[in-house]
Amino acid sequence: MLVFLTGATGFIGSRIVPELQAAGHQVLGLTRSDVGAEALKAAGVEVCRGTLEDPASIAAGAARADAVIHTAFDHDFSRFVANCEKDVRVITALAEALKGSNRPLIITSGTGMGNAGRGGPATEDVFNADDPNPRKASEVTGNKFLDAGQDVRVMRLPQVHDTFRQGLISPYIDIAREKGVAAYVAEGNNCWPAAHVLDVAKLYVMALDKGQKGARYHAVAEEAISSRQIAEVVAKGLGIPAVSITPDEAQQHFGWFAMFAGMDLRASGRWTQQQMGWQPTGPGLIDDLSRMKY
């Protein structure tokens, strides 16, 4: 198949490219820059020029493809709500370009969307439309096209990591470096899930080749890593103390990150692993945080 991949030069997308090629697919990759275009060409990828701010440019790529994997997202979390709204426009453009066909569209969301609010881990069989996280807009939009008969699948991501990037933990490290302390809220018992970027890339291709219409997949290798564990390993790497702060202090300390700092985001990936035969083999989050260069 010719697969249109948004975010093709990004942290996850650039790892998906060789996995798609190894599976026998051709790749049409989205990029906004000359540097990105040259990198894609060097990787044997056909180039589609476009931006998230211009959904029509993205729709043009989707119209040519046999399938779409959408990983691109504006990761300026200080504008998180606006960027989630931007993703709605992009998903709409992609789905409209695929309308009238059975070509699959894999969109990206977060594992928190599977939290039923009952205290257990988020699971693939749940979509909580009442979740306050604005990222739910991506799945709401995907569901609209799924209900209309299109083949929409969802990849929900935890904290995706290697020794260079770790999802939301990367800006957390920047804040810790700036503040001189690695803070956690209260006792730091709230937990985050995680998976290594190479394992996640493999799962995207599995979801394309073996996945089912309407399915939601959790790219979760580790279900629950406490914020205190994360703070302590970051503190050691930076040579600063790990400290507890109260929920009332979180906003002043973390700024925009406060909305995430105290969240318990534990999530299960057991159903995904069983259904897809996905067996994560990459290093764990704490291992990568321990080995990175601060």
Side-chain angles (χ1 to χ4, degrees):
M1 290 191 289
L2 176 63
V3 180
F4 179 47
L5 176 62
T6 74
T9 60
F11 178 54
I12 298 174
S14 62
R15 272 72 168 198
I16 294 174
V17 167
E19 295 292 339
L20 284 169
Q21 293 169 328
H25 301 299
Q26 297 173 291
V27 185
L28 173 64
L30 179 72
T31 185
R32 66 189 307 156
S33 69
D34 292 337
V35 172
E38 290 304 315
L40 291 178
K41 290 175 185 176
V45 175
E46 186 179 353
V47 174
C48 175
R49 295 298 288 264
T51 69
L52 297 179
E53 292 73 26
D54 180 13
S57 65
I58 294 176
R64 294 184 48 204
D66 300 308
V68 175
I69 298 177
H70 173 46
T71 68
F73 189 79
D74 187 336
H75 288 96
D76 178 359
F77 287 101
S78 66
R79 303 184 67 253
F80 189 47
V81 173
N83 292 337
C84 291
E85 293 169 351
K86 185 191 303 184
D87 199 48
V88 166
R89 294 189 289 272
V90 172
I91 291 171
T92 298
L94 291 169
E96 291 286 353
L98 299 174
K99 187 173 286 187
S101 73
N102 60 359
R103 292 174 289 169
L105 166 61
I106 300 176
I107 66 173
T108 300
S109 181
T111 53
M113 299 307 100
N115 187 340
R118 296 189 291 267
T123 56
E124 298 91 337
D125 61 329
V126 171
F127 171 57
N128 185 357
D130 296 322
D131 192 287
N133 191 327
R135 193 72 162 100
K136 69 183 179 185
S138 299
E139 289 198 40
V140 169
T141 306
N143 287 342
K144 179 179 72 172
F145 290 100
L146 177 66
D147 291 343
Q150 291 188 238
D151 185 348
V152 179
R153 310 169 193 182
V154 180
M155 183 65 68
R156 290 176 174 167
L157 300 181
Q159 304 311 303
V160 181
H161 60 86
D162 62 6
T163 56
F164 296 96
R165 290 181 61 177
Q166 302 85 28
L168 281 167
I169 297 166
S170 292
Y172 170 80
I173 293 169
D174 292 338
I175 293 168
R177 184 181 288 111
E178 175 189 349
K179 298 286 187 176
V181 296
Y184 54 90
V185 178
E187 295 183 3
N189 291 331
N190 60 300
C191 294
W192 290 9
H196 192 272
V197 64
L198 295 181
D199 289 321
V200 172
K202 288 181 172 64
L203 183 58
Y204 268 99
V205 179
M206 288 181 172
L208 175 66
D209 289 342
K210 300 165 55 178
Q212 300 297 317
K213 176 180 176 179
R216 297 179 290 258
Y217 301 103
H218 280 193
V220 173
E222 295 180 284
E223 181 174 307
I225 304 161
S226 75
S227 61
R228 181 167 183 166
Q229 282 181 282
I230 293 167
E232 288 175 344
V233 72
V234 169
K236 183 176 180 180
L238 290 173
I240 59 177
V243 300
S244 170
I245 62 174
T246 68
D248 290 340
E249 294 171 322
Q251 183 62 53
Q252 181 176 359
H253 181 85
F254 286 116
W256 65 266
F257 190 82
M259 68 179 293
F260 301 106
M263 284 185 176
D264 192 285
L265 296 172
R266 66 189 70 209
S268 172
R270 282 175 287 179
W271 181 86
T272 296
Q273 293 183 31
Q274 292 167 0
Q275 292 294 310
M276 306 303 288
W278 180 58
Q279 298 179 328
T281 59
L285 174 61
I286 297 301
D287 287 341
D288 271 349
L289 287 173
S290 298
R291 292 185 295 114
M292 69 179 284
K293 295 181 180 179
Y294 287 85

